[in-house]
Amino acid sequence: MNKLITLGLVLALTACTQKVPQQRAVYLLLDTSGTYTEELTKAQNILNYLLATLDSGDSVAVARIDSGSFSEKDIIAKVTLDERPSQANQQKRAFKQRMDDYVKSVTRGSRNTDITGGLIQASEYLAETGAGEQYVLIFSDLEEDLAKGHIRDFPITLAGINVVALNVTKLRSDNIDPRDYLKRLARWQERVVTGGGHWQVVNDLERLDQLIASR
């Protein structure tokens, strides 16, 4: 019996000393469909906030929501910040420049909007980072418009991921019937929560300090 008690104490102490990864990882999904491209300058402000907030060891990626977003080709930039502060600052400056160049290059929107594919790609990236805090920021009106033949009506695994919908602009049809807007938000919330994730909507971009936890 004493051996069992000793073994139990050892296991308990081991569990207490195991460290949870403190790194954070953020995946920013940008809607590039239709007139939503006009909102991309706001996304630059969001990225600037992220780069100022993230520390050495944290990871960040930016990807576009395209007609078929379950592909690494849609990742605009990604980086894990170096442990050396001076090197991390250089990485941040280079990352910002890639984002600025991308926004300037967007001349027309994508034909379709594969939000589900983007979320799956985001969850895979976040899992690979091994970060303790994981976030997907969706900069979109949340209107999914799939290309013919694309199948996306299945559960998404988002265990432990914080999904934040940003700048969810209202469509013209929402002005006719505001319930469409509310249904759209409710549908995505259900998919995220059912997949094990956490859901939040932030439309006031002055509240960016609430996006990710400080470290």
Side-chain angles (χ1 to χ4, degrees), residues 6 16 51 54 85 90 103 108-110 122 130 136 145 151 159 161-162 172-173 175 179 197-198 204:
T6 301
C16 291
L51 292 176
L54 296 176
Q90 289 182 17
V103 171
R108 62 177 182 177
S110 61
V136 179
D145 176 21
I151 300 172
I161 296 176
N162 301 284
R172 185 174 301 174
S173 59
N175 290 323
R179 290 175 298 180
H198 309 283
D204 182 0

Side-chain angles (χ1 to χ4, degrees), residues 117-137:
L119 276 172
I120 298 172
Q121 183 70 27
S123 66
E124 289 193 346
Y125 169 83
L126 293 173
E128 290 174 1
T129 67
E133 293 280 345
Q134 300 180 2
Y135 300 84
V136 179
L137 310 182

Side-chain angles (χ1 to χ4, degrees), residues 135-209:
Y135 300 84
V136 179
L137 310 182
I138 309 177
F139 192 74
S140 171
D141 57 23
L142 297 182
E143 178 70 16
E144 186 163 62
D145 176 21
L146 299 174
K148 185 177 181 181
H150 284 206
I151 300 172
R152 297 291 187 266
D153 57 343
F154 49 78
I156 313 172
T157 301
L158 298 166
I161 296 176
N162 301 284
V163 179
V164 184
L166 296 168
N167 198 52
V168 186
T169 58
K170 297 176 177 63
L171 305 174
R172 185 174 301 174
S173 59
D174 296 333
N175 290 323
I176 298 172
D177 188 347
R179 290 175 298 180
D180 290 343
Y181 175 79
L182 298 176
K183 288 177 182 177
R184 197 158 68 250
L185 291 177
R187 183 172 67 250
W188 281 109
Q189 179 176 7
E190 181 181 9
R191 293 193 73 187
V192 169
V193 173
T194 301
H198 309 283
W199 173 258
Q200 183 182 1
V201 178
V202 177
N203 282 330
D204 182 0
L205 297 184
E206 297 295 323
R207 296 167 54 206
L208 291 181
D209 60 317

Side-chain angles (χ1 to χ4, degrees), residues 36-50:
Y36 205 83
T37 56
E38 299 171 5
E39 302 288 318
L40 289 180
T41 53
K42 295 179 182 178
Q44 289 174 294
N45 294 331
I46 294 170
L47 179 65
N48 291 341
Y49 162 78
L50 291 175

Side-chain angles (χ1 to χ4, degrees), residues 9 62 75 93 104 123 134 145 147 185 213:
L9 288 172
V62 177
I75 297 178
R93 286 193 291 270
K104 290 177 183 177
S123 66
Q134 300 180 2
D145 176 21
L185 291 177

